[in-house]
Amino acid sequence: MLKSDGLKKVKNDLILVGVICTLSLVGFLIFKLTMKDGNRVSVSINGEEKYSYSITDNVETDIITGNNGENNNTLVIKDRKAYIKSATCPDKICVGHRPISKDGETIVCLPHKIVVSITEGK
Ligand SMILES: [Zn+2]
């Protein structure tokens, strides 16, 4: 009697462990699905989209801004990642930002009013 109760308890524990594993796996999959790889690299200047590239492009381009074209950010797209290689802005926060590749990720250069963002695209 006691022995079979004990077995039952172990069985229930195993089922519980199984359920928890399944739930965490499902949660992980949902998380992975929502962090989708983006398809497009969009460059906005002053809140207006100016350029758009495919994330699969190999691009190294200068984004020139400022009243007299005095500001420069060098955008690189390589290996499905986008990053700012160099910039003339004073804080260099955009240069220090790690490469972005996931849908919704952004690199902002506040002094130059540039936003590089990854979008899902088509
Ligand atoms: Zn910057």
Side-chain angles (χ1 to χ4, degrees), residues 73 84 87 89-95 108-112:
N73 294 59
I84 303 288
C89 60
D91 59 15
K92 300 273 193 290
I93 287 174
C94 52
V95 181
V108 179
C109 183
L110 270 182
H112 294 175

Side-chain angles (χ1 to χ4, degrees), residues 2-14:
L2 260 173
K3 203 179 172 188
S4 91
D5 272 2
L7 270 177
K8 205 174 172 187
K9 194 170 179 293
V10 169
K11 207 175 164 191
N12 282 343
D13 282 354
L14 282 178

